């Protein structure tokens, strides 16, 4: 009898082991990671335009005679709309779905960038480069990453936020060297067409592979214990967006987060991304060399942002923000002494150091939005991102104006360093929500 029952027992154990292994394999390839991958590719493709403004300031100035302040105004419109559109886009995704909003945004980006080829006056630059591309990029800004993360992930949110934030840097890394070579060798128009085609190329990935909610494919969010039904469409997207803003502005953390993120935008997109290449060129550095340094920032930004997401899952976000802003401010104070006709070791050290800190602020800022605003956190983060872009827009314009007035960018570097010091202090003032444990304690 013993010999007859042992094989059955072995078979049963074997089946149980096989099922366990299959379950583990399924857990390792949760559908949420495929959605995150498509989101990463989408943001990377749209980031092509983020690489272009700094490369076109000198060519547009030379061809049309427009002042740097005039060109900077177009960048300012773009950056401001990039931020102001984000909270409404988050609400529109709740109303019409992620796929439709993002696909439409990519088409608008392609149209805006492509139409610049035929522009002849400054208002056309403001319309195409500022209005259309600003609306398109704003509709799939970091609020897009926040919406995907909130819907598809319960665990590893900080890490996923860091990875998706790094997608913009990856786009910069991929496109900056190509676009700088194109501008240098063939002019700015082929570069604008390249950006337009890159945006269009991502549309099929979004439409065929992206899904709005885990319930669409019958799975639980990653790390969730229970299945989450898909909520119905939320009508009144604009009304809801403004209602969330009305509620958030009555709280102290919102103003502190918005203030620190405005300084973040001023010291990154508005300053370095827009003005680093022309500033380096002022010191005799070739445009292609300066653009390559900006691309290297993108390399280390990927590592820094993913690491910041990992830290955010484990350490208090307020303190992380304070450290990030303080280090960024110190690095900017040294930059005027490092610009030279050629690339030397101290400049490389700045590029690495600054790159690690470029958008490392996003994961802890988004974590604080989740902590204080719960289900409305994606929309609140959209408004916080709007302040980021308003800060970027102001410095994009004022930086070009300062260059026209003073003949150099030095005053802008020093002012931005001082602002980063203020942001570090503001981050420490943000109070923790009562009853919320720190990541380490949790």
């Amino acid at each position: 009898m013993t010999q007859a029952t042992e094989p059955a027992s072995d078979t049963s154990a074997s089946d149980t082991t096989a099922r366990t292994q299959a379950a583990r394999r399924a857990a390792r390839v949760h559908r949420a990671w495929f959605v995150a991958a498509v989101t990463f590719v989408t943001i990377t493709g749209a980031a092509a335009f983020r690489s272009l403004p700094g490369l076109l300031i000198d060519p547009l100035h030379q061809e049309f005679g427009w002042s740097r302040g005039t060109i900077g105004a177009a960048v300012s419109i773009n950056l401001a709309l990039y931020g102001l559109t984000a909270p409404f886009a988050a609400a529109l995704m709740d109303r019409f779905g992620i796929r439709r909003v993002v696909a439409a945004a990519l088409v608008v980006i392609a149209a805006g960038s492509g139409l610049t080829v035929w522009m002849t006056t400054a208002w056309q630059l403001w319309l195409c480069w500022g209005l259309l591309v600003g609306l398109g990029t704003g509709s799939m800004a970091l609020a897009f990453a926040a919406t995907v993360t909130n819907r598809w992930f319960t665990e590893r949110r900080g890490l996923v936020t860091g990875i998706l934030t790094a997608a913009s840097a990856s786009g910069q890394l991929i496109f900056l060297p190509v676009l700088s070579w194109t501008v240098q060798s063939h002019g700015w128009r082929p570069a604008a067409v390249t950006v337009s085609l890159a945006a269009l190329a991502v549309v099929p990935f979004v439409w065929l592979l992206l899904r709005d909610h885990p319930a669409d494919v019958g799975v639980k969010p990653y790390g969730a214990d229970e299945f989450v039904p898909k909520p119905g469409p939320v009508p009144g997207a604009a009304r809801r967006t403004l209602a969330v803003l009305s509620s958030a502005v009555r709280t102290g953390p919102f103003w502190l987060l918005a203030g620190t993120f405005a300084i973040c935008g001023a010291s990154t997109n508005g300053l370095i991304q827009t003005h680093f290449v022309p500033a380096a060129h002022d010191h005799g550095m070739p445009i292609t060399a300066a653009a390559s340094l900006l691309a290297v920032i993108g390399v280390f930004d990927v590592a820094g942002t993913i690491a910041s997401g990992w830290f955010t899952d484990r350490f208090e976000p307020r303190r992380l923000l304070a450290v990030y802003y303080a280090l960024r401010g110190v690095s900017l104070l040294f930059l005027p002494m490092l610009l030279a006709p050629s690339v030397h070791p101290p400049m490389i050290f700045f590029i690495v150091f600054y790159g690690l800190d470029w958008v490392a602020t996003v994961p802890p800022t988004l974590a604080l939005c989740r902590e204080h605003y719960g289900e409305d956190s994606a929309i609140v983060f959209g408004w916080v991102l709007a302040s980021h872009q308003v800060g970027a827009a102001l410095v994009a314009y004022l930086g070009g104006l300062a260059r026209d007035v003073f003949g150099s960018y030095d005053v802008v570097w020093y002012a931005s360093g001082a602002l980063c010091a203020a942001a570090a202090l503001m981050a420490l003032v943000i109070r923790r929500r009562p009853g919320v444990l720190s990541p380490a304690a949790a």
Side-chain angles (χ1 to χ4, degrees), residues 11 17 24 29 33 48 51 70 74 94 145 188 212 236 249 255 283-284 322 330 342 358 430 432:
T11 301
T17 302
R24 290 175 178 173
V29 290
W33 294 108
S51 307
T70 298
D94 288 339
W188 64 269
D212 292 330
V249 296
W255 290 107
H283 287 76
V330 170
S342 60
W358 178 269
I430 300 173
R432 292 197 63 81

Side-chain angles (χ1 to χ4, degrees), residues 5-20:
T5 57
E6 281 181 350
S9 176
D10 290 344
T11 301
S12 177
S14 177
D15 291 343
T16 302
T17 302
R19 286 194 297 270
T20 301

Side-chain angles (χ1 to χ4, degrees), residues 243-428:
V244 170
L245 174 64
S246 177
S247 175
V249 296
R250 296 186 177 92
T251 64
F254 174 82
W255 290 107
L256 291 169
L257 288 169
T260 55
F261 225 40
I263 294 172
C264 178
S267 56
T268 53
N269 300 85
L271 182 63
I272 295 294
Q273 191 167 51
T274 304
H275 295 292
F276 178 80
V277 172
H281 190 55
D282 283 347
H283 287 76
M285 185 179 295
I287 290 178
T288 51
S292 297
L293 289 177
L294 205 55
V296 173
I297 286 180
V299 176
F300 288 94
D301 178 26
V302 173
T305 307
I306 294 174
S308 178
W310 187 86
F311 289 142
T312 302
D313 286 332
R314 290 160 176 79
F315 301 104
E316 190 175 342
R318 298 180 310 145
R319 296 178 180 176
L320 290 176
L321 284 179
V323 171
Y324 296 157
Y325 286 121
L327 293 177
R328 183 184 299 176
V330 170
S331 67
L332 287 173
L333 293 176
F334 281 97
L335 181 58
M337 296 177 281
L338 302 179
L339 292 170
S342 60
V343 180
H344 47 85
M347 173 57 79
I348 294 175
F349 179 79
F350 168 83
I351 293 297
V352 173
F353 187 86
Y354 193 87
L356 291 171
D357 198 343
W358 178 269
V359 286
T361 55
V362 173
T365 299
L366 182 51
L368 288 168
C369 285
R370 288 197 195 100
E371 176 184 319
H372 287 277
Y373 303 105
E375 293 182 357
D376 292 329
S377 61
I379 296 177
V380 173
F381 181 71
W383 284 113
V384 172
L385 178 62
S387 71
H388 180 282
Q389 296 308 116
V390 169
L394 285 173
V395 171
Y397 172 70
L398 293 176
L401 186 62
R403 171 61 178 80
D404 291 335
V405 173
F406 299 108
S408 77
Y409 286 100
D410 288 359
V411 66
V412 185
W413 307 130
Y414 295 134
S416 296
L419 284 174
C420 288
L425 295 176
M426 292 167 65
L428 291 175

Side-chain angles (χ1 to χ4, degrees), residues 37 56 68 75 111 147 177 179 219 228 235 253 261 266 281 313 317 324 355 374 415:
L56 298 192
R68 290 175 175 82
V75 180
T147 301
L179 294 177
V219 299
V228 178
F261 225 40
H281 190 55
D313 286 332
Y324 296 157

Side-chain angles (χ1 to χ4, degrees), residues 46 82 85 101-102 104-106 108-109 131-141:
Y82 177 89
T85 305
V101 173
V102 173
L106 288 166
V108 171
I109 292 172
L131 179 63
L132 291 180
V133 178
L135 290 173
T137 53
S139 296
M140 47 180 302

